[in-house]
Amino acid sequence: MKDIVVSVSGAIGSTLALIRSIKKEVDCRAYILCVNKNASAILRKSKYVDEVYYFEAVNEDQYYHAVKEWYNSKLFLDKPILYGTYDTGGYYIDKNRDWFEENFSLCIPSSDIIQTFTLKGTAEPKAKEAGLEIPKTQVIESENDIDFISKTFSFPVIVKPRATYMKKNIEFKAEIFYDIDAFNSFVLPFINKDSTLIGQEYIPGGDNNVY
Protein backbone atom coordinates (compact mmCIF):
# COMPACT_ATOMS: atom_id res chain seq x y z
CA MET A 1 0.00 0.00 0.00
CA LYS A 2 1.24 3.47 -0.85
CA ASP A 3 2.44 5.64 2.03
CA ILE A 4 1.13 9.20 2.34
CA VAL A 5 3.09 12.43 2.75
CA VAL A 6 1.51 15.76 3.70
CA SER A 7 3.21 19.11 3.09
CA VAL A 8 2.22 21.42 5.95
CA SER A 9 2.77 24.89 7.34
CA GLY A 10 0.27 25.76 10.08
CA ALA A 11 -2.78 23.73 9.01
CA ILE A 12 -2.88 21.39 12.02
CA GLY A 13 -6.59 20.54 12.04
CA SER A 14 -6.99 19.78 8.34
CA THR A 15 -3.74 17.79 8.28
CA LEU A 16 -4.73 15.57 11.20
CA ALA A 17 -8.25 15.11 9.82
CA LEU A 18 -6.83 14.03 6.46
CA ILE A 19 -4.36 11.55 7.94
CA ARG A 20 -6.84 10.14 10.46
CA SER A 21 -9.52 9.56 7.81
CA ILE A 22 -7.05 7.74 5.56
CA LYS A 23 -5.39 5.59 8.23
CA LYS A 24 -8.72 4.46 9.68
CA GLU A 25 -9.41 2.84 6.31
CA VAL A 26 -5.96 2.04 4.91
CA ASP A 27 -2.89 0.38 6.41
CA CYS A 28 -0.09 2.78 5.47
CA ARG A 29 2.55 5.04 6.95
CA ALA A 30 1.90 8.78 7.24
CA TYR A 31 4.71 11.31 6.98
CA ILE A 32 4.47 15.08 7.49
CA LEU A 33 6.82 17.61 5.93
CA CYS A 34 6.39 20.73 8.08
CA VAL A 35 7.91 24.21 7.80
CA ASN A 36 6.29 25.48 11.01
CA LYS A 37 8.18 24.54 14.20
CA ASN A 38 5.23 24.98 16.58
CA ALA A 39 2.88 23.03 14.35
CA SER A 40 5.40 20.21 13.95
CA ALA A 41 5.60 19.76 17.73
CA ILE A 42 1.82 19.38 17.94
CA LEU A 43 1.54 17.09 14.91
CA ARG A 44 4.12 14.71 16.41
CA LYS A 45 1.71 13.92 19.25
CA SER A 46 -0.88 12.29 16.99
CA LYS A 47 -1.04 8.50 17.08
CA TYR A 48 -1.87 8.53 13.37
CA VAL A 49 1.38 10.27 12.38
CA ASP A 50 4.43 8.06 11.87
CA GLU A 51 6.98 10.82 11.33
CA VAL A 52 7.19 14.61 11.23
CA TYR A 53 10.11 16.16 9.39
CA TYR A 54 10.56 19.82 10.31
CA PHE A 55 12.71 22.04 8.11
CA GLU A 56 13.06 25.74 7.38
CA ALA A 57 12.13 26.90 3.90
CA VAL A 58 12.04 30.61 3.24
CA ASN A 59 12.18 30.14 -0.53
CA GLU A 60 11.56 27.65 -3.32
CA ASP A 61 15.16 26.41 -3.48
CA GLN A 62 15.33 25.60 0.25
CA TYR A 63 12.00 23.78 0.12
CA TYR A 64 12.93 21.69 -2.91
CA HIS A 65 16.36 20.63 -1.61
CA ALA A 66 15.08 19.84 1.91
CA VAL A 67 12.29 17.62 0.58
CA LYS A 68 14.64 15.96 -1.91
CA GLU A 69 17.19 15.19 0.83
CA TRP A 70 14.46 13.76 3.07
CA TYR A 71 12.98 11.71 0.24
CA ASN A 72 16.34 10.17 -0.69
CA SER A 73 16.84 9.08 2.92
CA LYS A 74 13.62 7.05 2.90
CA LEU A 75 14.22 4.60 0.03
CA PHE A 76 10.51 4.23 -0.76
CA LEU A 77 9.66 1.05 -2.67
CA ASP A 78 6.59 2.68 -4.23
CA LYS A 79 5.74 6.30 -4.93
CA PRO A 80 4.09 7.83 -1.86
CA ILE A 81 1.03 10.03 -2.31
CA LEU A 82 1.81 13.70 -1.66
CA TYR A 83 -0.88 16.05 -0.35
CA GLY A 84 -0.46 19.82 0.02
CA THR A 85 -2.23 21.89 2.67
CA TYR A 86 -0.86 25.39 2.07
CA ASP A 87 -0.51 27.68 -0.93
CA THR A 88 3.21 28.37 -0.79
CA GLY A 89 4.15 24.70 -0.51
CA GLY A 90 1.90 23.93 -3.47
CA TYR A 91 3.57 26.72 -5.43
CA TYR A 92 7.07 25.39 -4.63
CA ILE A 93 6.04 21.85 -5.60
CA ASP A 94 4.58 23.08 -8.86
CA LYS A 95 7.73 25.05 -9.71
CA ASN A 96 9.67 21.74 -9.45
CA ARG A 97 6.82 19.61 -10.74
CA ASP A 98 8.91 17.29 -12.92
CA TRP A 99 10.91 15.98 -9.95
CA PHE A 100 7.88 15.72 -7.68
CA GLU A 101 5.81 13.87 -10.31
CA GLU A 102 8.70 11.45 -10.85
CA ASN A 103 8.90 10.61 -7.15
CA PHE A 104 5.35 11.12 -5.80
CA SER A 105 1.77 10.57 -6.82
CA LEU A 106 0.66 14.18 -6.57
CA CYS A 107 -2.66 15.06 -4.99
CA ILE A 108 -2.55 18.78 -5.82
CA PRO A 109 -4.30 20.95 -8.44
CA SER A 110 -3.01 21.53 -11.95
CA SER A 111 -0.16 23.91 -12.63
CA ASP A 112 -2.58 26.40 -14.19
CA ILE A 113 -4.76 26.49 -11.07
CA ILE A 114 -1.80 26.80 -8.70
CA GLN A 115 -0.05 29.54 -10.65
CA THR A 116 -3.32 31.47 -10.96
CA PHE A 117 -5.11 31.10 -7.66
CA THR A 118 -2.25 31.24 -5.17
CA LEU A 119 -2.24 34.94 -6.02
CA LYS A 120 -4.77 36.92 -3.98
CA GLY A 121 -7.03 38.97 -6.21
CA THR A 122 -7.41 36.36 -8.96
CA ALA A 123 -10.27 34.33 -7.51
CA GLU A 124 -12.57 37.34 -7.07
CA PRO A 125 -13.03 38.14 -10.80
CA LYS A 126 -13.80 34.47 -11.46
CA ALA A 127 -16.36 34.48 -8.64
CA LYS A 128 -17.93 37.63 -10.09
CA GLU A 129 -18.11 36.03 -13.54
CA ALA A 130 -19.98 33.14 -11.92
CA GLY A 131 -22.60 35.54 -10.57
CA LEU A 132 -21.40 35.82 -6.98
CA GLU A 133 -21.29 39.09 -5.09
CA ILE A 134 -17.77 39.94 -3.93
CA PRO A 135 -16.19 42.79 -1.94
CA LYS A 136 -14.40 45.36 -4.06
CA THR A 137 -10.83 44.14 -4.61
CA GLN A 138 -7.79 45.88 -6.05
CA VAL A 139 -4.18 44.82 -6.62
CA ILE A 140 -1.99 47.62 -5.23
CA GLU A 141 1.14 48.26 -7.28
CA SER A 142 1.18 52.05 -7.68
CA GLU A 143 -0.03 55.31 -6.17
CA ASN A 144 -2.89 55.23 -8.69
CA ASP A 145 -4.12 52.01 -7.09
CA ILE A 146 -3.95 53.62 -3.63
CA ASP A 147 -5.88 56.62 -4.92
CA PHE A 148 -8.49 54.37 -6.56
CA ILE A 149 -9.15 52.51 -3.30
CA SER A 150 -9.29 55.74 -1.29
CA LYS A 151 -11.90 57.23 -3.62
CA THR A 152 -14.09 54.23 -4.47
CA PHE A 153 -13.94 51.68 -1.61
CA SER A 154 -16.11 51.70 1.48
CA PHE A 155 -13.95 51.55 4.59
CA PRO A 156 -12.83 49.51 6.54
CA VAL A 157 -10.35 48.05 4.04
CA ILE A 158 -8.14 45.02 4.63
CA VAL A 159 -4.64 44.89 3.13
CA LYS A 160 -2.61 41.70 2.61
CA PRO A 161 0.51 40.57 0.73
CA ARG A 162 -0.59 39.21 -2.63
CA ALA A 163 1.07 35.85 -1.99
CA THR A 164 3.32 34.45 0.74
CA TYR A 165 6.07 33.65 -1.77
CA MET A 166 5.97 37.28 -2.97
CA LYS A 167 6.32 38.83 0.50
CA LYS A 168 9.95 40.00 0.08
CA ASN A 169 10.29 42.70 2.74
CA ILE A 170 6.67 42.40 3.91
CA GLU A 171 6.40 41.16 7.48
CA PHE A 172 2.65 41.46 8.10
CA LYS A 173 -0.10 38.97 7.26
CA ALA A 174 -3.10 41.33 7.17
CA GLU A 175 -3.96 44.82 8.37
CA ILE A 176 -7.38 46.50 8.64
CA PHE A 177 -7.82 50.24 8.15
CA TYR A 178 -10.87 52.22 9.18
CA ASP A 179 -9.88 55.56 7.64
CA ILE A 180 -8.24 56.70 4.42
CA ASP A 181 -5.26 58.55 5.94
CA ALA A 182 -4.10 55.53 7.95
CA PHE A 183 -4.49 53.32 4.87
CA ASN A 184 -2.47 55.69 2.66
CA SER A 185 0.32 56.12 5.23
CA PHE A 186 0.71 52.38 5.70
CA VAL A 187 0.59 51.26 2.07
CA LEU A 188 2.70 53.92 0.33
CA PRO A 189 6.13 52.83 1.73
CA PHE A 190 5.55 49.29 0.46
CA ILE A 191 4.66 50.52 -3.02
CA ASN A 192 7.81 52.65 -3.05
CA LYS A 193 9.78 49.43 -2.43
CA ASP A 194 8.11 47.68 -5.39
CA SER A 195 6.05 45.39 -3.17
CA THR A 196 2.67 44.15 -4.40
CA LEU A 197 -0.32 44.15 -2.05
CA ILE A 198 -4.01 43.42 -2.29
CA GLY A 199 -6.70 45.73 -0.93
CA GLN A 200 -10.27 44.62 -0.29
CA GLU A 201 -13.37 46.00 1.34
CA TYR A 202 -13.49 44.38 4.77
CA ILE A 203 -16.57 42.59 6.05
CA PRO A 204 -16.52 42.73 9.88
CA GLY A 205 -17.55 39.70 11.91
CA GLY A 206 -17.35 35.95 11.49
CA ASP A 207 -17.62 33.87 8.34
CA ASN A 208 -21.43 33.89 8.52
CA ASN A 209 -21.35 37.64 7.80
CA VAL A 210 -19.58 37.03 4.50
CA TYR A 211 -22.72 35.42 3.08
Side-chain angles (χ1 to χ4, degrees):
M1 185 59 64
K2 287 180 178 289
D3 294 326
I4 60 173
V5 181
V6 187
S7 174
V8 182
S9 178
I12 296 171
S14 58
T15 299
L16 291 178
L18 170 66
I19 291 175
R20 183 178 65 230
S21 64
I22 292 173
K23 293 197 69 170
K24 279 187 173 181
E25 301 294 330
V26 179
D27 182 19
C28 65
R29 293 182 63 80
Y31 301 89
I32 292 176
L33 307 177
C34 188
V35 298
N36 183 303
K37 191 171 186 178
N38 292 333
S40 67
I42 297 171
L43 291 165
R44 283 191 182 97
K45 298 181 183 298
S46 172
K47 67 180 181 180
Y48 296 104
V49 175
D50 293 284
E51 179 185 315
V52 176
Y53 176 60
Y54 164 71
F55 60 100
E56 294 185 1
V58 297
N59 57 45
E60 172 197 333
D61 189 60
Q62 286 184 354
Y63 182 93
Y64 169 65
H65 285 98
V67 175
K68 190 174 183 180
E69 182 179 359
W70 172 84
Y71 180 90
N72 290 335
S73 73
K74 291 299 160 190
L75 302 176
F76 290 107
L77 297 178
D78 196 3
K79 285 185 181 182
I81 300 172
L82 178 60
Y83 297 88
T85 65
Y86 72 113
D87 288 352
T88 302
Y91 177 81
Y92 291 160
I93 291 168
D94 186 64
K95 294 292 285 185
N96 299 277
R97 202 174 187 107
D98 289 345
W99 181 84
F100 279 95
E101 284 189 331
E102 181 181 345
N103 293 286
F104 294 92
S105 296
L106 295 185
C107 191
I108 62 172
S110 69
S111 182
D112 182 58
I113 289 174
I114 290 174
Q115 296 300 320
T116 301
F117 292 106
T118 53
L119 286 174
K120 291 181 175 67
T122 53
E124 289 81 1
K126 295 294 183 182
K128 191 171 184 178
E129 289 174 13
L132 299 175
E133 292 187 25
I134 64 167
K136 288 181 181 177
T137 303
Q138 176 67 35
V139 175
I140 308 171
E141 296 178 307
S142 69
E143 291 189 39
N144 288 336
D145 298 321
I146 297 174
D147 189 54
F148 176 78
I149 291 175
S150 299
K151 291 179 177 178
T152 64
F153 280 33
S154 297
F155 279 69
V157 165
I158 187 168
V159 176
K160 297 173 276 190
R162 195 165 187 209
T164 304
Y165 52 83
M166 296 175 63
K167 286 182 71 170
K168 297 180 182 177
N169 60 329
I170 302 174
E171 299 299 329
F172 73 96
K173 185 174 182 180
E175 294 287 342
I176 300 169
F177 299 94
Y178 291 86
D179 66 79
I180 294 172
D181 290 340
F183 164 76
N184 289 343
S185 297
F186 180 84
V187 173
L188 186 58
F190 290 102
I191 301 308
N192 290 336
K193 295 177 182 177
D194 295 324
S195 298
T196 302
L197 305 173
I198 193 85
Q200 192 171 57
E201 289 183 334
Y202 179 67
I203 303 172
D207 289 345
N208 60 309
N209 288 350
V210 175
Y211 302 118

